[in-house]
């Protein structure tokens, strides 16, 4: 066995000679082995950097309103344009990775997004910043769906749920660090310095992926083209279970981003009157996601994905209810529970996609993430309308509606299995 194969196990196919006929080595990364641990660490780093870059602007929105003279709803465009472009670009990124492979696309994605992040720190006006953020969303599209497909293809199916949880745990820590770090640096220096720091981290992550991520062994090149793409989409969109999972991505992410888009405005205003650095510290609740992602991934394997998904959706609703009173004593645990549960929902749904779609997994993951980021874009921006008109009561009612629909969908999945 070559050095690059260390840490993989050969699983014999059911049909004699099937692996040889397909020309694919039936070897998987198995939990506990050095190669598995290395892959898990690098995927954690990749998820960390991607979400730090994507969400670093969220605590900076009040800064944008002051420097560029935009409204709170307009300031949310710094995030929404990135997630909107990302959502559509993912549909293409999945096809590109199905044609050219996983590892190179992930590394190039991180390199380009890091470079654009540094460029955004030097944007002279609001229009320029939005343009850079749109391009950054396009660049980031090369990682999320591709990482999900990589896990589905390369990791032993018995370990895939936990591995996906570790990757999403990295996204949770990245989301927290991107928000908290930019808030802290902006408070002591400037928002431009904060964005530059996050961009530099992205370039470092690109190097790590290129150097250390194990090469794909189960990847099968698929022909590109509009016809093949349409066939893949049609197959996935005719699967009712996949449609329900796509809906869960839209609803849960829409609820999550809406809360975190406007919680900063609420905490900066009376009766809280917190400083920007203190508001940034709120995002340390993302550490809950680092814990909950692998935890929910393991529970879903043991107890059933549908059942655990429904419990996680109900926990999100409970967390939202705790955020209603104007008290940090209830809001803090409410945010923590809401975040803990959200990463559980995302871990289960995203891991389920790869298992339910036996072919064209890159495209299945891309469609799920398209819905996921469209939830962020549409609900995150629409939440500004509710904030402007009704304050936090409007935001809470809007998010509560999204979660109610999500709970119904998750219960349907639990029954259908």
């Amino acid at each position: 066995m070559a050095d690059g194969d260390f840490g993989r196990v050969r699983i014999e196919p059911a049909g004699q000679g099937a692996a040889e006929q397909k020309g694919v080595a039936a070897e998987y990364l198995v939990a506990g082995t050095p190669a598995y641990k290395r892959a898990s660490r690098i995927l954690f780093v990749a998820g960390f950097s991607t979400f730090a870059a994507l969400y670093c602007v969220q605590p900076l929105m009040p800064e944008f309103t002051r420097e560029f003279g935009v409204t709170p709803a307009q300031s949310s465009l710094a995030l929404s344009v990135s997630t909107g472009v990302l959502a559509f670009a993912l549909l293409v990124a999945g096809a590109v990775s199905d044609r050219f492979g996983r590892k190179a696309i992930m590394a190039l994605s991180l390199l380009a997004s890091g470079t654009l992040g540094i460029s955004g720190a030097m944007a002279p006006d609001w229009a320029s910043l939005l343009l850079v953020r749109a391009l950054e969303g396009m660049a980031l599209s090369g990682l999320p769906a591709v990482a999900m497909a990589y896990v589905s293809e390369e990791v032993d199916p018995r370990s895939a749920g936990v591995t996906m949880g570790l990757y999403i745990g990295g996204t949770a820590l990245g989301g927290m660090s991107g928000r908290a770090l930019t808030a802290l640096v902006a408070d002591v220096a400037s928002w431009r310095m904060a964005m530059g720091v996050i961009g530099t981290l992205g370039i470092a992550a690109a190097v790590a992926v290129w150097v250390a991520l194990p090469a794909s062994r189960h990847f099968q090149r698929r022909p590109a083209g509009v016809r093949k793409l349409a066939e893949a989409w049609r197959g996935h969109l005719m699967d009712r279970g996949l449609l329900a999972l796509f809906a869960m991505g839209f609803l849960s992410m829409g609820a999550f981003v809406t809360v975190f888009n406007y919680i900063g405005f609420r905490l900066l205003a009376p009766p809280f009157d917190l400083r920007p650095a203190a508001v940034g510290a709120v995002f340390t609740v993302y550490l809950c996601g680092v814990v909950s992602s692998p935890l929910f991934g393991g529970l879903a394997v043991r107890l059933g994905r549908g059942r655990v998904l429904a419990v996680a959706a109900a926990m999100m609703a409970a967390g939202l209810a705790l955020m209603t009173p104007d008290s940090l004593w209830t809001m803090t645990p409410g945010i923590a529970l809401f975040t803990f549960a959200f990463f559980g929902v995302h871990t289960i749904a995203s891991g389920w996609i790869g298992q339910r779609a036996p072919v064209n997994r890159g495209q299945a993951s891309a469609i799920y993430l398209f819905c996921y980021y469209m939830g962020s874009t549409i609900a995150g921006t629409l939440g500004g309308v509710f904030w402007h008109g009704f304050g936090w009561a409007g935001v809470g009612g809007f998010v509560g509606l999204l979660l109610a629909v999500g709970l119904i969908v998750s219960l349907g999945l639990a029954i259908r299995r």
Side-chain angles (χ1 to χ4, degrees), residues 192-220:
R192 295 180 185 276
M193 177 67 72
M195 288 186 65
V197 169
I198 298 299
T200 303
L201 291 176
I203 294 174
V207 175
V209 168
W210 182 253
V211 171
L213 186 68
S216 296
R217 296 298 179 91
H218 284 258
F219 170 72
Q220 292 180 287

Side-chain angles (χ1 to χ4, degrees), residues 71-398:
T71 67
Q74 289 171 329
S75 72
S76 71
L77 291 173
L79 177 59
S80 294
V81 295
S82 295
T83 56
V85 172
L86 171 61
F88 284 98
L90 279 166
L91 299 176
V92 178
V96 171
S97 75
D98 282 344
R99 179 69 177 87
F100 296 104
R102 314 300 187 196
K103 181 175 175 176
I105 298 298
M106 287 190 277
L108 286 172
S109 169
L110 289 166
L111 178 62
S113 63
T115 303
L116 285 164
I118 294 173
S119 299
M122 299 181 285
D125 52 44
W126 182 239
S128 299
L129 179 60
L130 291 183
L131 175 60
V132 170
R133 289 292 297 171
L135 293 173
E136 195 166 0
M138 183 179 297
L140 286 169
S141 68
L143 195 127
V146 180
M148 289 170 62
Y150 179 92
V151 171
S152 297
E153 292 168 350
E154 303 302 324
V155 178
D156 174 13
R158 293 166 296 185
S159 307
V162 176
T163 308
M164 186 64 71
L166 290 171
Y167 164 70
I168 292 173
T171 71
L173 187 59
M176 179 206 75
S177 301
R179 291 166 166 96
L181 181 60
T182 51
L184 178 61
V185 175
D187 197 29
V188 300
S190 70
W191 68 265
R192 295 180 185 276
M193 177 67 72
M195 288 186 65
V197 169
I198 298 299
T200 303
L201 291 176
I203 294 174
V207 175
V209 168
W210 182 253
V211 171
L213 186 68
S216 296
R217 296 298 179 91
H218 284 258
F219 170 72
Q220 292 180 287
R221 195 180 307 277
R222 297 184 182 277
V226 174
R227 187 174 64 85
K228 292 292 183 182
L229 201 59
E231 289 176 357
W233 291 349
R234 184 167 57 250
H236 295 322
L237 294 176
M238 290 179 66
D239 186 316
R240 294 179 63 185
L242 284 176
L243 284 176
L245 291 171
F246 298 156
M248 285 302 301
F250 180 95
L251 294 164
S252 62
M253 185 57 162
F256 185 72
V257 167
T258 300
V259 164
F260 279 93
N261 269 3
Y262 303 102
I263 195 73
F265 290 101
R266 185 184 184 192
L267 294 174
L268 287 169
F272 301 103
D273 292 316
L274 299 182
R275 288 181 55 82
V279 173
V282 170
F283 294 108
T284 58
V285 297
Y286 268 56
L287 290 172
C288 296
V290 178
V291 176
S292 70
S293 295
L295 174 63
F296 275 100
L299 288 174
V301 172
R302 292 196 298 273
L303 303 178
R305 295 184 181 94
R307 185 181 305 169
V308 179
L309 181 65
V311 170
M315 290 171 65
M316 282 187 73
L320 177 67
L322 287 173
M323 285 185 261
T324 301
D326 287 332
S327 170
L328 288 176
W329 292 105
T330 59
M331 185 176 298
T332 302
I335 295 173
L337 179 60
F338 184 82
T339 304
F340 182 89
F342 163 73
F343 281 103
V345 170
H346 182 38
T347 295
I348 297 165
S350 59
W352 205 343
I353 292 289
Q355 299 303 313
R356 191 171 181 95
V359 296
N360 296 312
R361 285 171 171 156
Q363 285 307 302
S365 298
I367 295 171
Y368 169 80
L369 290 171
F370 169 81
C371 296
Y372 180 83
Y373 288 113
M374 286 306 293
S376 171
T377 300
I378 295 172
T381 302
L382 188 57
V385 177
F386 286 93
W387 170 261
H388 181 74
F390 307 101
W392 185 256
V395 172
F398 174 58

